Amino acid sequence: PNQGSKFVHQLFEFRAQTTPEATAVVCDDLALTYGQLNGRANRIASKLLAAGVSPETPIAVCVSRGVNQAVCLLAVLKSGGMYLPIDPLGPVQRMQQVLLDASVCHVLTDLAHAPRFAGYVIHLVDAQGDHAAPTETENLALTISPANAAYCLYTSGSTGTPKGVVVTCSALEHHIRAANAAYAICTSDTILQFASAAFDTSLEQLLIALTSGAKAIIRGDTLWSMDELENKI
């Protein structure tokens, strides 16, 4: 990763600038190159800023499994907002509890799940990867502090009420750099993203790929057999 970058989204932008035609993320028959992924994330981030999002504004993200997981994650990080993933397959009561506790106003979602968020400021992304939408090649120039919140994930609540754990931009960047070094990720690698968006493992699986120039394969809603896994990877 670019050693001069201070934020994870900048590490990704460096890769998008260096290898824009390389495949960044794949899910089933949909794929985005680094350039396409960066352009779509820039477009959504610009819309979030126009809607009043500022550093640490909590933005709930609830999308079906697919390439838009990566688009939305990067868009929120680029906007300076605080990424708050909501598993669309999770219990409705937990979702409502998390949204209330985090004081969420903005929700980034697709048409399939938008009806669940009546009363919130909804930002729609296309369920098929937003392929028809224009992209924005210019990265956003924002003033974000490394101490600002990057994301918030909630505990399971198995021993009480779920509690939000906030991770700063600096902590996320240091973790991704350390993971890249520990796993020796390179541009020829392929990384499987299989964890639920509600778990921090999902962020690591995506971000260590997208900050190192590797390819991330996102598993769809169906589980794979070992033969299917071997064929897809």
Side-chain angles (χ1 to χ4, degrees):
N2 181 11
Q3 297 302 313
S5 299
K6 294 182 179 180
F7 301 96
V8 165
H9 68 272
Q10 292 178 331
L11 299 179
F12 163 74
E13 289 169 353
F14 173 76
R15 292 297 178 180
Q17 181 181 21
T18 305
T19 57
E21 298 303 319
T23 301
V25 61
V26 179
C27 183
D28 297 329
D29 59 346
L30 290 176
L32 293 177
T33 66
Y34 272 85
Q36 290 171 328
L37 177 56
N38 190 47
R40 283 159 175 73
N42 282 341
R43 176 175 169 270
I44 294 174
S46 296
K47 285 189 171 185
L48 292 174
L49 291 175
V53 167
S54 59
E56 299 195 330
T57 298
I59 303 173
V61 175
C62 183
V63 294
S64 301
R65 291 191 64 84
V67 297
N68 269 331
Q69 286 181 262
V71 173
C72 292
L73 168 59
L74 290 167
V76 174
L77 295 178
K78 283 170 173 281
S79 74
M82 183 179 71
Y83 174 75
L84 177 61
I86 302 291
D87 188 341
L89 300 180
V92 174
Q93 183 179 359
R94 174 184 169 85
M95 179 193 76
Q96 294 172 338
Q97 191 174 37
V98 167
L99 294 173
L100 181 62
D101 187 68
S103 300
V104 168
C105 292
H106 297 268
V107 178
L108 192 51
T109 188
D110 49 40
L111 283 172
H113 302 103
R116 308 167 87 182
F117 300 101
Y120 292 88
V121 179
I122 296 176
H123 308 273
L124 286 176
V125 292
D126 185 85
Q128 296 301 312
D130 223 12
H131 284 279
T135 61
E136 295 188 16
T137 56
E138 291 296 323
N139 296 319
L140 283 69
L142 298 175
T143 302
I144 306 172
S145 167
N148 285 154
Y151 70 89
C152 177
L153 289 176
Y154 275 73
T155 59
S156 66
S158 57
T159 57
T161 303
K163 298 177 179 62
V165 179
V166 176
V167 174
T168 66
C169 293
S170 177
L172 178 60
E173 181 240 344
H174 286 302
H175 175 73
I176 295 303
R177 284 188 187 275
N180 271 317
Y183 302 142
I185 305 299
C186 63
T187 56
S188 61
D189 286 330
T190 298
I191 297 174
L192 176 64
Q193 197 290 299
F194 59 87
S196 163
F199 293 94
D200 54 2
T201 306
S202 66
L203 278 78
E204 180 178 284
Q205 290 166 349
L206 275 175
L207 292 175
I208 61 174
L210 299 178
T211 57
S212 62
K215 177 170 65 177
I217 293 184
I218 298 177
R219 176 187 61 78
D221 288 329
T222 59
L223 295 177
W224 294 340
S225 67
M226 290 304 296
D227 289 339
E228 288 174 319
L229 175 62
E230 185 177 357
N231 291 333
K232 291 178 183 292
I233 298 296

